[in-house]
Every structure is written in C-alpha cells, then in structure tokens.
C-alpha cells in the first residue's frame, strides 16, 4: 500500500512511519503547516520551523519522500474562526476534536488521495479493527493500549468513511515502547519532548489568543453560596419530576443573577473563561479556591463558587441536540424513546464513568450514575462500549 504519514516532527509520527516501512508499505512523509502566528504562543512551545526540520530529518533517516503542505487557510477557516465564534457565544470549544475531523482526516486526507495514497497514518494512541455486519465492513474505533496516552476521544467525530482510510500503527504500543523503538533505530527525535497545547498552534496564552478578535472588557466576579435560591429550586423540582422533565432538569446547568451572590472581584472578559475553571480569577482571602459556575457573556459576569464540589457546579447529566449527535457505529444508533447504558467522558483523559443515554425526539440525554462537575457547552461527550468508542456529541 502507498501510505501518507502526517509527520509532525515528533517521536510518535516518526515511529509510525518506520513501522509502516518495516511492514513493506510505500511510505510518504508530509508535514502539515497550519499556523503562522507565533505572537500568541509561549516561547519555544510552537517552533514550527524546528518541527518541520525535524520531520524532514526523520524522512531522510528513513529514506522516504517528504513534502511540506500548507493548510493554514483551511485551518483558520474551520478551526480558529470556529474557536472565536464559540468563545464569543460563551461556549467552550474543543478545537483538537474538530482538527481531526476537519483537517487531518478531511483536508489532509484529500491531499493524500491526490498523491494516490491508499490510506493516511497518524501517531495517535488508538486502534482500529473491522467486523462484518450484513456482509458489509464496519470499522471500530478502539482505545489505545496505553491507557495513559489513549487518544480515541480526540477522534470521536470521525465517520466510517474517514476510518476506512485511517491507520494508527502505534496504537497497540505503550509510550515507552515507542521511545525504545525510536532509540533502537537512531531516530533524531527519539528524545524529543511531546508537544502540548492547541492542535498545530502549540501551547498558547488563551486570553491573548482570543484578544485577536475578542476585546478585553472589565466585568464583575460574583460569588454564589450553595444556599442560593436557583440551586435549591432545581433540587426541589427534581424531587417531583418524572420522565422527560426529569431528564431536562438533570441536564440543565443552574442559571444565576447578580442578586444571588456578592461581588468579590473583577475580570477582563467573561468569554476568556470556562465553566469549572479555577486559575486566572485572582480573588484571594477565601477558605477554598473559587471555581467558575457560570459565565454570562451578554452581561459580562462570572458567577463563581468556593470549592470543586460546589453544588452549582454539579450536574446529573447533559444534553446533545439531535443534529449534533454523531455515531461512529451507525449500526448502533438509538431509536426514539430508546435508552442504553454506556461509559462516557467529556474531557480528554477523564476516567470513563457509567451513564445512561436516552434518545428523545429533540436529542440525546446523557444521565450520569453520579453527578459530574465542570460540564461546559461546546465540549464533546463521547460514549464507549468497553474500549470501543461508539459515538459522540457536542454538548448543548
């Protein structure tokens, strides 16, 4: 097979190319340059020139063809503009999930197919296999063998068509094994540190990044006590609610008003924060640290509460609109009024937790076995059957 590998200049994608080469495939290395503005990245955290040079040196070491591919226009339109728009609405986007769906396994895949590639490969820590259903091949997206590095969550929006062209050659390995392989064959990036931060951009100063389009604006920070009326009101309603009303109450975040608490500080823009955030509030003198309970971007107010277990942070579930629900395994799609138990997560590296999915006409309710904190609209929830990722959705 002719396989195009997305060479990032890191050890994972480099070992990916080597393993495919050892299997006898024709391997082509391509470095994707998707970002040009280093003004908002932390020093030396996004050295794309160095990464590109490292990717080229790996290709030379392996003796494979190498190309640079500039996808910055597509990345800005599909990822960065999306980020700005979501933060402006008060939502918390996950650009890494979208980057895989829109860039790596769409724009990049199409470019690879123009090189007459049979598939594209990446250094993701996840696995793929196939099963036959009604004489048709169905692709399964599985967690990586290294539980500490499993990246299946970031691929939760991929389709069957995208998976059919995707390869994850290191998914069955532990990270230490990947490092060992790189050292054994003398790869120049064998000891290079893993990249961090936003996909293709690097470790960014988020407020400065957002200030490119979202101007700073002074606003108030209000502390909400656990005895606040909106919290007590939902608790009372839940005592008597049944059916869809209960699902809705469990999946709705508590909404506050300035009268529910006291002003304890100022911020530079509610859209720079996210629900569950602790750092950056700069309010001292409290018994426990403050966490963001809710952000009102219309009135530029942050509602906060003391402690990570504040009742205003806890929710019994979440909701995904029907049009924002995605099934990797389309054959397992739930019918209206159907429900099923799965394991779910709504953050990368979050421990999978039991939940029941309820499919209603308007969308999907995900009800947790135990209340969870830090759920923000715009994030993605993914559901698993064992180690197989079945589907995902954008949280309303």
């Amino acid at each position: 097979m002719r396989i195009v590998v997305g060479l990032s200049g890191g050890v994972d994608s480099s070992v990916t190319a080597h393993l495919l080469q050892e299997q006898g495939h024709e391997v082509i290395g391509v470095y994707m340059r998707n970002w040009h503005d280093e003004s908002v990245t932390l020093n030396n955290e996004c050295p794309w020139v160095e990464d590109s040079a490292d990717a080229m040196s790996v290709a030379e070491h392996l003796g494979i063809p190498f190309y640079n591919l500039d996808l910055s226009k597509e990345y800005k339109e599909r990822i960065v503009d999306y980020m700005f728009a979501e933060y402006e609405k008060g939502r918390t986007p996950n650009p890494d999930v979208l980057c895989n769906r829109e860039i790596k396994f769409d724009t990049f895949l199409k470019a690879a197919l123009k090189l007459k590639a049979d598939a594209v490969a990446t250094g993701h820590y996840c696995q793929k296999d196939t099963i036959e259903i009604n004489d048709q091949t169905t692709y399964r997206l599985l967690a990586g063998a290294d539980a500490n590095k499993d990246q299946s969550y970031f691929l939760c929006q991929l389709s069957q068509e995208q998976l059919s062209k995707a390869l994850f050659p290191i998914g069955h390995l532990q990270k230490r094994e990947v490092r060992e392989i790189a050292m054994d064959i003398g790869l120049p990036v064998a000891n290079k540190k893993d990249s961090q931060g936003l996909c293709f951009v690097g470790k960014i100063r988020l407020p400065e990044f957002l200030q490119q389009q979202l101007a700073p604006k002074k606003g108030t920070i209000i502390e909400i006590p656990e005895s606040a009326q909106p919290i007590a009101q939902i608790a009372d309603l839940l005592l008597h609610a049944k059916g869809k009303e209960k699902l809705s109450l469990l999946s709705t975040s508590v909404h506050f008003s300035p009268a529910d608490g006291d002003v304890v500080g100022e911020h530079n823009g509610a859209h720079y924060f996210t629900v569950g955030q602790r750092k950056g509030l700069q309010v001292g003198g409290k018994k426990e640290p403050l966490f963001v309970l809710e952000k009102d971007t219309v009135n530029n107010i942050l509602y906060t509460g003391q402690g990570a277990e504040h009742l205003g942070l806890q929710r019994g579930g979440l909701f995904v609109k029907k049009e924002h629900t995605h099934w990797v395994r389309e054959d397992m799609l739930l019918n209206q009024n159907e429900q099923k138990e799965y394991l779910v997560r709504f953050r990368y590296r979050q421990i999978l937790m039991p939940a029941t999915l309820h499919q209603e006409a308007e969308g999907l309710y995900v009800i947790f076995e135990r209340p969870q904190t830090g759920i923000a609209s715009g994030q993605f929830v993914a559901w698993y059957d064992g180690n197989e990722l079945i589907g995902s959705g954008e949280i309303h």
Side-chain angles (χ1 to χ4, degrees):
M1 291 174 61
R2 172 178 284 188
I3 302 171
V4 169
V5 176
L7 280 182
S8 66
V11 67
D12 296 330
S13 61
S14 301
V15 171
T16 290
H18 162 70
L19 292 176
L20 290 171
Q21 192 180 38
E22 280 218 318
Q23 293 167 15
H25 299 294
E26 179 187 354
V27 180
I28 300 171
V30 176
Y31 176 82
M32 288 175 274
R33 187 183 178 195
N34 290 354
W35 190 248
H36 294 274
D37 184 4
E38 285 88 19
S39 65
V40 295
T41 60
L42 298 180
N43 290 336
N44 301 319
E45 290 290 352
C46 186
W48 77 266
V49 175
E50 179 186 330
D51 286 344
S52 178
D54 285 344
M56 183 183 293
S57 67
V58 166
E60 289 176 355
H61 183 85
L62 297 176
I64 61 175
F66 176 78
Y67 300 93
N68 269 297
L69 181 63
D70 191 332
L71 298 176
S72 55
K73 179 176 179 290
E74 291 84 352
Y75 187 80
K76 180 184 180 302
E77 290 174 353
R78 296 197 190 190
I79 309 301
V80 178
D81 289 350
Y82 152 82
M83 278 185 65
F84 286 136
E86 288 289 278
Y87 273 106
E88 191 170 24
K89 294 173 188 172
R91 292 162 59 82
T92 302
N94 190 316
D96 291 315
V97 171
L98 267 293
C99 181
N100 283 307
R101 188 185 78 186
E102 300 290 330
I103 302 298
K104 290 180 183 174
F105 295 97
D106 186 77
T107 307
F108 176 64
L109 173 58
K110 289 173 181 174
L113 294 177
K114 288 181 180 178
L115 292 173
K116 301 191 184 306
D118 298 297
V120 296
T122 63
H124 282 103
Y125 285 86
C126 63
Q127 302 177 84
K128 182 187 90 169
D129 70 8
T130 61
I131 56 175
E132 295 295 318
I133 299 177
N134 297 326
D135 296 325
Q136 285 194 330
T137 300
T138 294
Y139 298 91
R140 302 200 311 150
L141 177 60
L142 308 173
D146 189 334
N148 291 320
K149 294 292 292 182
D150 170 38
Q151 295 173 311
S152 57
Y153 173 78
F154 288 135
L155 304 173
C156 68
Q157 285 278 296
L158 295 194
S159 66
Q160 283 290 305
E161 184 178 358
Q162 288 170 313
L163 279 175
S164 73
K165 298 291 185 181
L167 296 175
F168 310 111
I170 65 169
H172 66 291
L173 299 172
Q174 302 292 309
K175 178 71 181 192
R176 59 174 175 75
E177 294 177 300
V178 172
R179 290 276 185 200
E180 288 168 2
I181 292 170
M183 288 187 280
D184 287 345
I185 64 172
L187 281 178
V189 295
N191 293 308
K192 186 175 180 178
K193 289 183 179 180
D194 291 343
S195 61
Q196 293 181 332
L198 178 60
C199 181
F200 289 120
V201 176
K203 200 169 183 179
I204 63 171
R205 302 179 184 90
L206 186 60
E208 291 180 29
F209 184 75
L210 295 176
Q211 281 174 26
Q212 292 182 341
Q213 295 211 2
L214 306 178
K217 183 181 178 183
K218 289 285 185 184
T220 55
I221 299 174
I222 294 177
E223 182 182 346
I224 303 293
E226 288 192 313
S227 59
Q229 184 180 0
I231 297 175
Q233 191 173 30
I234 283 192
D236 288 341
L237 289 171
L238 276 169
L239 289 174
H240 309 288
K242 295 180 180 179
K244 192 181 293 186
E245 182 189 5
K246 186 171 185 178
L247 295 178
S248 182
L249 284 170
L250 287 169
S251 306
T252 303
S253 57
V254 184
H255 296 295
F256 303 103
S257 70
D260 294 321
D262 299 316
V263 176
V264 292
E266 277 191 340
H267 59 80
N268 288 320
H271 40 258
Y272 300 149
F273 294 81
T274 188
V275 172
Q277 183 171 332
R278 170 184 171 180
K279 294 182 179 179
L281 289 170
Q282 298 179 334
V283 177
K286 301 293 178 182
K287 185 178 179 180
E288 292 187 72
L290 291 180
F291 289 78
V292 177
L293 307 181
E294 182 189 8
K295 58 179 186 177
D296 179 352
T297 54
V298 175
N299 298 301
N300 200 30
I301 298 172
L302 287 180
Y303 295 101
T304 64
Q306 285 191 45
E309 300 302 317
H310 191 285
L311 291 176
L313 263 185
Q314 296 187 24
R315 279 168 60 179
L318 56 84
F319 176 67
V320 179
K321 287 185 176 180
K322 187 174 182 178
E323 62 267 28
H324 294 154
T325 304
H326 171 75
W327 293 85
V328 177
R329 284 288 302 276
E330 296 165 344
D331 59 298
M332 297 178 72
L333 186 147
L334 292 179
N335 296 315
Q336 188 172 325
N337 300 321
E338 190 177 358
Q339 64 185 62
K340 188 171 181 180
E341 293 181 1
Y342 281 112
L343 297 173
V344 305
R345 63 164 54 107
F346 51 88
R347 281 191 295 268
Y348 173 51
R349 288 193 178 179
Q350 183 180 32
I351 295 173
L352 288 168
M353 70 200 91
T356 303
L357 275 59
H358 299 256
Q359 183 66 63
E360 301 291 334
E362 65 274 20
L364 193 68
Y365 292 92
V366 179
I367 307 301
F368 309 120
E369 188 176 273
R370 295 180 180 177
Q372 299 296 313
T373 62
I375 301 169
S377 60
Q379 293 173 320
F380 286 89
V381 59
W383 46 95
Y384 292 73
D385 183 3
N387 72 334
E388 181 185 0
L389 197 154
I390 302 299
S392 66
E394 188 176 316
I395 300 172
H396 179 60

